[in-house]
Amino acid sequence: MSAGHPRLPSPPLPQPDWAYFIDIDGTLVELAESPGAVRVRPESRQLVAELYASTGGAVALISGRSIADIDGLFPGIRPPAAGQHGIERRDASGAGSTHPFPVERLELARKRIRTAIAGKPGLLLEDKGLSLALHYRRAPRLAGYAHRVARSLLPRLGAQYGLQAGKYVVELKPRGKDKGVAVREFMAETPFRGRTPVFIGDDATDEFGFAVVNRLYGYSIKVGRGPTAAHWHLANVEAVQRWLRSTWP
C-alpha cells in the first residue's frame, strides 16, 4: 500500500467514455467542521452537471452521506448516487434501493450515544437514518473515546452491524455494503457497463472503491495524503476539479 503522497503519478487526462465514481467530502468539496457546515460552490455543482452530460450520464456520487443529503448539496442534478457507503443506491434510471437490515436496533444505539456524548463538547452525532456517525473533528483529543463508545455498542447491535472509521469520524453501519460493492453494482448497469471505471476519493472508506477499480483495470485516484491502495494521486479538491474539467474543451 502506497504512502499516498505526490510520488504516486498524476492520472492521465480523463476521457468522456470512462465511468466516474466520485466521493464528495474532501474530494469534490472541502471538508468542514461538521457535515452540515459544508458549502458547495455553484461552479462545483456546474462541474458535476457538465461531467454528467459529457459522459452520457456515467457519473455516480458515492458518499457516506445519505442520498437525500447528496441531493441537497447538488440540487437539480440527481445523478446516480450511492449513499451511506452503499447502503442506499439510486441507479441511472432514478430507481432507488436500500440494503435491508433490522433498523429498530439502531434506536438503542442512538440513545446510548447521545447519553455518552452529553457533556463532551466537540462530539457530534450524525443520524443518517440507516447508520450513525460520531464525529470528533472539533475535538480530536476525544478520538479514542468516540471509538470506544461506538465499539461498545456492537455486541448489542449484533453481527449484522460493523464499524467504519473515517477522517475524524467513526460510524455504526450494516455490514455487507461498502463503496466497492456500489461500484460493482453500477458497473453491471447502463450507462456504466463496458466503460473503464475511475474512482476518486480521499478517505479510508474510499479504499473499498479503489480495490474494486484496481481489479477492473481502471483508475484509482487518491486525493491528498495517507496510506492507500490507489495507483494515482491528486493533491487536493482544487486539483480534482481542475482534472475533471479537462474532460471537455
Side-chain angles (χ1 to χ4, degrees):
M1 184 173 283
S2 166
H5 50 64
R7 284 182 293 181
L8 284 173
S10 297
L13 290 177
Q15 300 299 317
D17 58 350
W18 290 351
Y20 293 85
F21 303 101
I22 311 172
D23 174 48
I24 297 176
D25 296 81
T27 299
L28 272 178
V29 300
E30 299 289 353
L31 293 169
E33 284 194 346
S34 68
V38 166
R39 295 293 179 264
V40 182
R41 295 179 298 179
E43 54 267 36
S44 298
R45 295 190 182 100
Q46 184 64 24
L47 170 62
V48 173
E50 291 177 348
L51 183 65
Y52 181 77
S54 70
T55 59
V59 174
L61 300 180
I62 301 188
S63 176
R65 293 176 177 269
S66 68
I67 289 180
D69 201 4
I70 294 171
D71 289 344
L73 292 176
F74 296 90
I77 303 174
R78 290 184 64 84
Q84 301 186 62
H85 310 291
I87 300 171
E88 53 177 347
R89 195 171 69 89
R90 179 173 63 218
D91 66 19
S93 73
S97 60
T98 301
H99 182 45
F101 69 103
V103 65
E104 65 278 359
R105 295 185 188 176
L106 280 182
E107 184 55 36
L108 174 62
R110 288 186 187 96
K111 292 177 180 178
R112 290 187 176 273
I113 292 175
R114 288 183 181 126
T115 299
I117 67 175
K120 300 286 186 182
L123 293 185
L124 171 68
L125 173 62
E126 181 188 8
D127 186 349
K128 303 179 185 181
L130 305 176
S131 58
L132 301 171
L134 182 53
H135 295 266
Y136 49 89
R137 179 172 295 276
R138 291 181 292 186
R141 69 187 185 283
L142 295 177
Y145 179 77
H147 281 261
R148 287 194 299 275
V149 168
R151 192 163 51 247
S152 71
L153 294 168
L154 285 178
R156 295 180 178 272
L157 289 173
Q160 290 174 288
Y161 289 82
L163 292 184
Q164 176 64 65
K167 286 184 176 177
Y168 300 101
V169 63
V170 58
E171 298 191 43
L172 287 164
K173 60 180 286 292
R175 297 182 187 274
K177 292 286 185 177
D178 56 47
K179 293 183 179 183
V181 173
V183 168
R184 289 200 300 268
E185 291 172 341
F186 281 121
M187 288 299 292
E189 303 168 350
T190 303
F192 302 94
R193 185 188 294 113
R195 292 173 178 250
T196 297
V198 178
F199 194 102
I200 315 171
D202 72 305
D203 205 348
T205 63
D206 301 310
E207 295 297 320
F208 297 102
F210 296 153
V212 168
V213 165
N214 289 344
R215 289 195 291 270
L216 295 175
Y217 303 100
Y219 295 95
S220 51
I221 305 173
K222 167 75 171 182
V223 181
R225 296 180 178 273
T228 185
H231 294 167
W232 310 86
H233 176 262
L234 289 168
N236 48 38
V237 170
E238 182 181 353
V240 171
Q241 295 191 357
R242 190 166 54 245
W243 183 77
L244 288 173
R245 285 193 181 93
S246 64
T247 308
W248 55 87

